[in-house]
Amino acid sequence: MVYAAPRHTPLSTARDRQRDGMPAYQAALDAMPPRHAAAVREYVAAVHAEAAARRIESNRLQAAINPRNSGNHHKNGA
């Protein structure tokens, strides 16, 4: 078996950046007054929710453009 380094994708790069930044982010939150930290957490949660909604909308639009690639294309012998 030959080892191949993992392929870097935009998603894996973003996840790496998030993981690498988490300790400093958590330390900054811990140093903030509680109501400020709560506001930051709420904002970050809203950004994550928006990103998820955009992914859903993107998938829906991609399916509308190319219905063959949506859902289970093996169903009904397609």
Side-chain angles (χ1 to χ4, degrees):
M1 181 171 172
V2 176
Y3 172 77
R7 222 177 80 209
H8 286 283
T9 65
L11 180 58
S12 67
T13 300
R15 285 182 177 163
D16 289 348
R17 288 183 63 203
Q18 181 181 14
R19 183 194 62 241
D20 293 346
M22 188 54 72
Y25 172 77
Q26 190 60 53
L29 285 178
D30 292 345
M32 289 181 183
R35 78 182 171 97
H36 294 163
V40 170
R41 284 188 184 96
E42 188 172 326
Y43 177 76
V44 169
V47 169
H48 281 268
E50 179 186 2
R54 288 181 183 273
R55 284 190 301 276
I56 291 167
E57 181 68 3
S58 175
N59 290 339
R60 186 187 69 76
L61 293 171
Q62 285 291 336
I65 291 169
N66 191 357
R68 180 180 169 97
N69 290 337
S70 66
N72 183 355
H73 63 275
H74 297 287
K75 190 170 30 176
N76 299 329

XYZ file of all heavy atoms in Angstrom:
596
model
N 0.838 -1.177 0.000
C 0.000 0.000 0.000
C 0.884 1.241 0.000
O 1.838 1.331 0.769
C -0.911 -0.025 1.220
C -1.834 1.133 1.304
S -2.989 0.791 2.656
C -3.773 2.322 2.735
N 0.562 2.169 -0.855
C 1.342 3.395 -0.975
C 0.598 4.520 -0.262
O -0.603 4.695 -0.441
C 1.542 3.766 -2.462
C 2.273 5.076 -2.591
C 2.279 2.656 -3.172
N 1.338 5.257 0.546
C 0.744 6.389 1.253
C 0.721 7.596 0.333
O 1.708 7.923 -0.304
C 1.529 6.720 2.515
C 1.059 7.994 3.171
C -0.107 8.008 3.913
C 1.748 9.181 2.986
C -0.565 9.174 4.492
C 1.304 10.351 3.560
C 0.143 10.346 4.317
O -0.311 11.509 4.880
N -0.409 8.227 0.266
C -0.535 9.482 -0.480
C -0.983 10.559 0.493
O -1.910 10.345 1.289
C -1.549 9.334 -1.611
N -0.315 11.673 0.448
C -0.688 12.783 1.321
C -2.123 13.203 1.020
O -2.571 13.127 -0.120
C 0.266 13.956 1.093
N -2.860 13.620 2.047
C -4.239 14.033 1.802
C -4.304 15.222 0.847
O -3.419 16.079 0.862
C -4.766 14.411 3.178
C -3.600 14.468 4.084
C -2.464 13.760 3.418
N -5.304 15.183 0.002
C -5.510 16.278 -0.946
C -6.111 17.469 -0.217
O -7.064 17.316 0.535
C -6.483 15.817 -2.032
C -6.093 16.251 -3.399
C -7.037 15.719 -4.429
N -8.219 16.586 -4.421
C -9.441 16.183 -4.741
N -9.655 14.955 -5.078
N -10.443 17.014 -4.716
N -5.538 18.627 -0.423
C -6.081 19.823 0.210
C -7.157 20.407 -0.690
O -6.956 20.621 -1.879
C -4.983 20.854 0.491
C -4.124 20.448 1.640
N -4.526 20.569 2.949
C -2.906 19.884 1.682
C -3.590 20.112 3.744
N -2.578 19.688 2.997
N -8.288 20.636 -0.087
C -9.407 21.257 -0.775
C -9.708 22.568 -0.059
O -9.220 22.786 1.067
C -10.649 20.350 -0.716
O -11.066 20.232 0.657
C -10.368 18.972 -1.305
N -10.499 23.437 -0.658
C -10.873 24.664 0.062
C -11.533 24.359 1.415
O -11.278 25.049 2.400
C -11.843 25.347 -0.894
C -11.401 24.890 -2.254
C -10.974 23.459 -2.039
N -12.335 23.298 1.465
C -12.986 22.945 2.722
C -11.971 22.475 3.756
O -12.028 22.896 4.922
C -14.050 21.869 2.492
C -14.799 21.413 3.733
C -15.493 22.582 4.414
C -15.794 20.331 3.366
N -11.037 21.624 3.349
C -10.051 21.149 4.323
C -9.159 22.299 4.789
O -8.781 22.352 5.962
C -9.212 20.004 3.759
O -8.385 20.440 2.707
N -8.852 23.215 3.898
C -8.054 24.387 4.284
C -8.814 25.242 5.295
O -8.248 25.681 6.298
C -7.693 25.219 3.043
O -6.933 24.405 2.152
C -6.881 26.444 3.417
N -10.097 25.439 5.058
C -10.910 26.228 5.990
C -11.005 25.533 7.348
O -10.908 26.187 8.395
C -12.298 26.453 5.408
N -11.174 24.222 7.327
C -11.244 23.483 8.595
C -9.918 23.545 9.349
O -9.893 23.668 10.575
C -11.639 22.036 8.342
C -13.103 21.894 8.005
C -13.467 20.451 7.805
N -14.887 20.318 7.561
C -15.450 19.258 7.040
N -14.714 18.210 6.710
N -16.749 19.217 6.851
N -8.815 23.464 8.628
C -7.494 23.578 9.261
C -7.341 24.948 9.922
O -6.860 25.046 11.053
C -6.376 23.379 8.238
C -6.253 21.950 7.753
O -6.872 21.050 8.359
O -5.551 21.745 6.743
N -7.755 25.986 9.212
C -7.657 27.348 9.766
C -8.532 27.492 11.000
O -8.135 28.113 11.983
C -8.052 28.388 8.729
C -7.011 28.548 7.627
C -7.390 29.629 6.651
N -7.435 30.909 7.348
C -8.127 31.962 6.931
N -8.829 31.905 5.818
N -8.123 33.089 7.606
N -9.729 26.918 10.952
C -10.621 26.992 12.102
C -10.009 26.267 13.300
O -9.992 26.792 14.419
C -11.974 26.387 11.756
C -12.967 26.451 12.908
C -14.297 25.815 12.561
O -14.406 25.103 11.574
N -15.300 26.071 13.361
N -9.495 25.067 13.066
C -8.882 24.279 14.144
C -7.667 25.015 14.723
O -7.503 25.106 15.935
C -8.464 22.904 13.622
C -7.883 21.999 14.713
C -7.174 20.776 14.156
N -6.043 21.177 13.334
C -5.911 20.899 12.027
N -6.811 20.210 11.395
N -4.847 21.308 11.364
N -6.836 25.580 13.848
C -5.626 26.262 14.301
C -5.948 27.539 15.077
O -5.206 27.923 15.984
C -4.723 26.601 13.111
C -4.152 25.358 12.439
O -4.226 24.256 13.037
O -3.654 25.487 11.305
N -7.042 28.195 14.732
C -7.400 29.446 15.394
C -8.223 29.273 16.655
O -8.404 30.231 17.425
N -8.727 28.063 16.899
C -9.631 27.845 18.034
C -9.024 28.172 19.392
O -9.687 28.817 20.213
C -10.160 26.410 18.012
C -11.241 26.164 19.040
S -12.649 27.312 18.976
C -13.463 26.779 17.501
N -7.788 27.783 19.696
C -7.245 28.117 21.026
C -7.200 29.633 21.283
O -7.580 30.085 22.374
C -5.839 27.504 21.015
C -5.923 26.387 20.022
C -6.864 26.895 18.957
N -6.758 30.401 20.309
C -6.700 31.856 20.497
C -8.101 32.445 20.598
O -8.344 33.363 21.404
C -5.934 32.506 19.342
N -9.035 31.930 19.799
C -10.418 32.394 19.855
C -11.000 32.118 21.242
O -11.612 33.001 21.857
C -11.227 31.677 18.765
C -12.708 31.915 18.817
C -13.254 33.112 18.366
C -13.567 30.935 19.300
C -14.621 33.326 18.396
C -14.935 31.142 19.331
C -15.465 32.334 18.882
O -16.817 32.541 18.916
N -10.807 30.905 21.747
C -11.345 30.559 23.057
C -10.691 31.401 24.152
O -11.372 31.855 25.074
C -11.141 29.069 23.344
C -11.881 28.596 24.572
C -13.387 28.811 24.456
O -14.001 28.398 23.498
N -13.965 29.464 25.441
N -9.386 31.626 24.054
C -8.701 32.450 25.053
C -9.238 33.881 25.034
O -9.429 34.495 26.094
C -7.194 32.450 24.786
N -9.499 34.413 23.843
C -10.055 35.761 23.744
C -11.457 35.812 24.351
O -11.789 36.767 25.072
C -10.083 36.215 22.287
N -12.278 34.803 24.074
C -13.613 34.764 24.666
C -13.535 34.689 26.184
O -14.298 35.358 26.890
C -14.411 33.577 24.135
C -14.951 33.685 22.719
C -15.678 32.398 22.343
C -15.884 34.871 22.565
N -12.622 33.872 26.681
C -12.476 33.715 28.134
C -12.037 35.022 28.798
O -12.376 35.268 29.962
C -11.480 32.608 28.463
C -11.995 31.233 28.074
O -13.211 31.084 27.818
O -11.158 30.298 27.994
N -11.288 35.861 28.083
C -10.794 37.116 28.637
C -11.833 38.236 28.567
O -11.684 39.259 29.240
C -9.522 37.546 27.901
N -12.886 38.040 27.781
C -13.915 39.070 27.618
C -14.918 39.046 28.768
O -15.140 38.001 29.368
C -14.715 38.820 26.333
C -14.005 39.078 25.074
S -15.177 38.726 23.728
C -14.120 39.000 22.343
N -15.536 40.196 29.004
C -16.675 40.176 29.921
C -17.746 39.227 29.366
O -17.897 39.106 28.141
C -17.179 41.622 29.906
C -16.014 42.434 29.440
C -15.249 41.533 28.505
N -18.465 38.535 30.225
C -19.433 37.525 29.771
C -20.426 38.016 28.719
O -20.719 37.291 27.767
C -20.145 37.106 31.060
C -19.145 37.367 32.134
C -18.390 38.581 31.683
N -20.946 39.219 28.847
C -21.936 39.655 27.847
C -21.290 39.912 26.490
O -21.911 39.710 25.461
C -22.754 40.836 28.338
C -22.104 42.165 28.274
C -23.019 43.256 28.836
N -22.270 44.481 28.937
C -22.310 45.430 28.028
N -23.109 45.332 27.002
N -21.558 46.499 28.165
N -20.025 40.326 26.466
C -19.327 40.509 25.195
C -19.050 39.153 24.546
O -19.233 38.983 23.337
C -18.016 41.267 25.394
C -18.221 42.676 25.840
N -17.206 43.416 26.390
C -19.302 43.474 25.843
C -17.651 44.615 26.713
N -18.933 44.671 26.384
N -18.598 38.202 25.355
C -18.330 36.860 24.837
C -19.619 36.244 24.294
O -19.606 35.601 23.242
C -17.729 35.979 25.931
N -20.735 36.453 24.977
C -22.020 35.921 24.512
C -22.406 36.544 23.172
O -22.914 35.852 22.279
C -23.105 36.171 25.549
N -22.155 37.841 23.006
C -22.463 38.508 21.743
C -21.612 37.946 20.607
O -22.108 37.728 19.495
C -22.256 40.021 21.873
N -20.340 37.696 20.878
C -19.450 37.126 19.864
C -19.912 35.723 19.502
O -19.992 35.374 18.316
C -17.976 37.118 20.341
C -17.097 36.316 19.394
C -17.460 38.547 20.465
N -20.239 34.914 20.495
C -20.723 33.549 20.224
C -22.000 33.576 19.386
O -22.164 32.774 18.461
C -20.969 32.800 21.526
C -19.715 32.317 22.197
C -20.033 31.418 23.390
N -18.824 31.035 24.064
C -18.331 31.647 25.142
N -18.978 32.651 25.685
N -17.203 31.231 25.671
N -22.904 34.493 19.717
C -24.159 34.602 18.962
C -23.888 35.005 17.509
O -24.487 34.465 16.585
C -25.083 35.613 19.634
C -26.464 35.642 19.037
C -27.422 36.507 19.829
O -27.299 36.562 21.067
O -28.290 37.117 19.197
N -22.967 35.945 17.306
C -22.628 36.376 15.951
C -21.999 35.230 15.156
O -22.373 34.982 14.010
C -21.673 37.568 15.996
C -21.242 37.998 14.620
C -22.086 38.722 13.795
C -19.988 37.645 14.123
C -21.711 39.094 12.513
C -19.593 38.012 12.857
C -20.456 38.746 12.060
O -20.075 39.102 10.794
N -21.077 34.509 15.770
C -20.423 33.391 15.085
C -21.446 32.311 14.743
O -21.428 31.738 13.643
C -19.252 32.829 15.923
C -18.732 31.518 15.353
C -18.130 33.856 15.996
N -22.379 32.051 15.648
C -23.432 31.077 15.370
C -24.284 31.535 14.184
O -24.665 30.720 13.331
C -24.302 30.867 16.606
N -24.570 32.833 14.107
C -25.351 33.361 12.983
C -24.585 33.219 11.670
O -25.175 32.881 10.631
C -25.712 34.826 13.234
N -23.286 33.447 11.685
C -22.471 33.287 10.477
C -22.471 31.821 10.033
O -22.603 31.519 8.844
C -21.028 33.806 10.715
C -20.111 33.412 9.580
C -21.042 35.320 10.891
N -22.355 30.908 10.986
C -22.393 29.479 10.652
C -23.754 29.090 10.074
O -23.820 28.316 9.109
C -22.076 28.616 11.882
C -20.626 28.540 12.202
N -19.806 27.561 11.718
C -19.838 29.337 12.973
C -18.565 27.752 12.163
N -18.564 28.822 12.929
N -24.819 29.624 10.661
C -26.167 29.326 10.159
C -26.352 29.869 8.745
O -26.947 29.208 7.886
C -27.213 29.898 11.101
N -25.817 31.065 8.491
C -25.917 31.630 7.141
C -25.145 30.769 6.142
O -25.623 30.502 5.034
C -25.380 33.058 7.109
C -25.445 33.663 5.720
C -24.799 35.024 5.618
O -24.240 35.532 6.606
O -24.845 35.594 4.503
N -23.962 30.319 6.519
C -23.167 29.470 5.622
C -23.915 28.177 5.311
O -23.931 27.729 4.160
C -21.804 29.170 6.247
N -24.546 27.595 6.310
C -25.311 26.368 6.090
C -26.479 26.631 5.150
O -26.748 25.836 4.239
C -25.810 25.809 7.414
N -27.175 27.741 5.352
C -28.302 28.089 4.481
C -27.828 28.314 3.045
O -28.502 27.913 2.092
C -29.017 29.324 5.013
N -26.674 28.942 2.886
C -26.135 29.154 1.537
C -25.765 27.834 0.866
O -25.959 27.666 -0.333
C -24.933 30.087 1.584
C -25.317 31.526 1.866
C -24.095 32.432 1.869
N -24.437 33.785 2.208
C -24.838 34.696 1.322
N -24.942 34.389 0.057
N -25.131 35.913 1.725
N -25.219 26.884 1.645
C -24.905 25.564 1.074
C -26.178 24.858 0.615
O -26.210 24.263 -0.467
C -24.159 24.694 2.094
C -22.707 25.077 2.280
C -21.952 24.045 3.094
N -22.502 23.835 4.417
C -22.222 24.578 5.488
N -21.387 25.598 5.376
N -22.763 24.299 6.655
N -27.220 24.927 1.427
C -28.493 24.303 1.060
C -29.036 24.936 -0.214
O -29.468 24.232 -1.130
C -29.501 24.412 2.218
C -29.056 23.519 3.372
C -30.912 24.060 1.757
C -29.789 23.785 4.667
N -29.021 26.258 -0.280
C -29.523 26.957 -1.467
C -28.678 26.626 -2.694
O -29.199 26.406 -3.783
C -29.536 28.464 -1.219
C -30.069 29.280 -2.371
C -31.559 29.079 -2.633
O -32.229 28.340 -1.897
O -32.057 29.683 -3.605
N -27.374 26.557 -2.517
C -26.489 26.209 -3.624
C -26.790 24.809 -4.138
O -26.864 24.582 -5.353
C -25.035 26.311 -3.172
O -24.170 25.864 -4.179
N -26.966 23.866 -3.213
C -27.303 22.496 -3.620
C -28.634 22.450 -4.356
O -28.782 21.721 -5.342
C -27.328 21.569 -2.403
C -25.951 21.328 -1.839
O -24.952 21.506 -2.514
N -25.903 20.938 -0.576
N -29.615 23.220 -3.878
C -30.914 23.246 -4.524
C -30.803 23.800 -5.945
O -31.366 23.245 -6.884
C -31.900 24.099 -3.718
C -33.330 24.080 -4.246
C -34.206 25.075 -3.517
N -33.857 26.455 -3.806
C -34.162 27.088 -4.945
N -34.804 26.466 -5.902
N -33.816 28.352 -5.116
N -30.038 24.859 -6.097
C -29.875 25.459 -7.418
C -29.091 24.539 -8.348
O -29.421 24.426 -9.536
C -29.194 26.824 -7.305
C -30.046 27.897 -6.610
C -29.213 29.143 -6.358
C -31.285 28.217 -7.409
N -28.062 23.872 -7.830
C -27.314 22.927 -8.646
C -28.219 21.790 -9.119
O -28.134 21.349 -10.264
C -26.136 22.338 -7.858
C -24.980 23.290 -7.684
C -24.254 23.572 -8.985
O -24.279 22.793 -9.927
N -23.600 24.716 -9.042
N -29.100 21.328 -8.233
C -30.025 20.258 -8.605
C -30.995 20.734 -9.680
O -31.358 19.967 -10.580
C -30.791 19.772 -7.374
N -31.400 21.996 -9.609
C -32.313 22.537 -10.619
C -31.612 22.659 -11.971
O -32.224 22.431 -13.019
C -32.851 23.894 -10.177
N -30.338 22.984 -11.948
C -29.573 23.125 -13.187
C -29.310 21.770 -13.812
O -29.406 21.587 -15.019
C -28.235 23.860 -12.913
C -28.505 25.316 -12.571
C -27.307 23.755 -14.110
C -27.289 26.043 -12.037
N -28.968 20.794 -12.981
C -28.613 19.478 -13.480
C -29.342 18.411 -12.655
O -28.763 17.814 -11.756
C -27.100 19.268 -13.399
C -26.655 18.036 -14.135
O -27.465 17.284 -14.670
N -25.359 17.816 -14.145
N -30.614 18.150 -12.969
C -31.395 17.221 -12.150
C -30.834 15.803 -12.116
O -31.098 15.055 -11.195
C -32.779 17.246 -12.785
C -32.634 17.900 -14.096
C -31.356 18.682 -14.070
N -30.037 15.405 -13.096
C -29.468 14.054 -13.110
C -28.565 13.826 -11.898
O -28.440 12.712 -11.404
C -28.687 13.840 -14.405
C -28.066 12.463 -14.488
C -27.297 12.304 -15.789
N -26.517 11.106 -15.756
C -26.887 9.955 -16.290
N -28.030 9.875 -16.922
N -26.113 8.898 -16.218
N -27.910 14.877 -11.417
C -26.981 14.743 -10.299
C -27.641 14.908 -8.942
O -26.969 14.860 -7.931
C -25.836 15.751 -10.426
C -24.925 15.400 -11.567
O -24.860 14.258 -11.987
N -24.232 16.389 -12.080
N -28.960 15.138 -8.911
C -29.609 15.320 -7.619
C -30.223 14.012 -7.151
O -30.675 13.194 -7.944
C -30.687 16.395 -7.723
O -31.720 15.955 -8.570
N -30.211 13.821 -5.853
C -30.825 12.631 -5.290
C -30.081 11.371 -5.663
O -28.891 11.377 -5.951
N -30.801 10.278 -5.705
C -30.212 8.978 -6.025
C -30.405 8.706 -7.510
O -31.469 8.287 -7.930
C -30.869 7.888 -5.166
C -30.235 6.537 -5.405
O -29.381 6.381 -6.258
N -30.663 5.560 -4.626
N -29.374 8.938 -8.307
C -29.497 8.763 -9.750
C -29.521 7.284 -10.156
O -29.737 6.969 -11.297
C -28.397 9.525 -10.495
C -27.011 9.042 -10.174
N -26.333 9.513 -9.090
C -26.219 8.151 -10.786
C -25.146 8.925 -9.044
N -25.063 8.089 -10.046
N -29.301 6.379 -9.193
C -29.376 4.949 -9.487
C -30.808 4.434 -9.418
O -31.103 3.364 -9.896
C -28.502 4.149 -8.521
C -27.056 4.502 -8.650
N -26.287 4.120 -9.709
C -26.239 5.232 -7.844
C -25.061 4.581 -9.561
N -25.009 5.260 -8.441
N -31.668 5.213 -8.796
C -33.053 4.804 -8.649
C -33.739 4.777 -10.015
O -33.450 5.590 -10.882
C -33.764 5.789 -7.711
C -35.137 5.332 -7.293
C -35.761 6.178 -6.182
C -35.365 7.605 -6.122
N -36.061 8.357 -5.118
N -34.639 3.886 -10.200
C -35.417 3.750 -11.437
C -34.536 3.492 -12.661
O -34.865 3.916 -13.761
C -36.295 4.978 -11.680
C -37.291 5.173 -10.550
O -37.734 4.212 -9.941
N -37.613 6.422 -10.255
N -33.397 2.881 -12.470
C -32.544 2.507 -13.597
C -31.895 3.661 -14.317
O -31.380 3.504 -15.403
N -31.899 4.851 -13.747
C -31.305 6.015 -14.428
C -29.802 5.940 -14.394
O -29.197 5.335 -13.585
C -31.774 7.297 -13.770
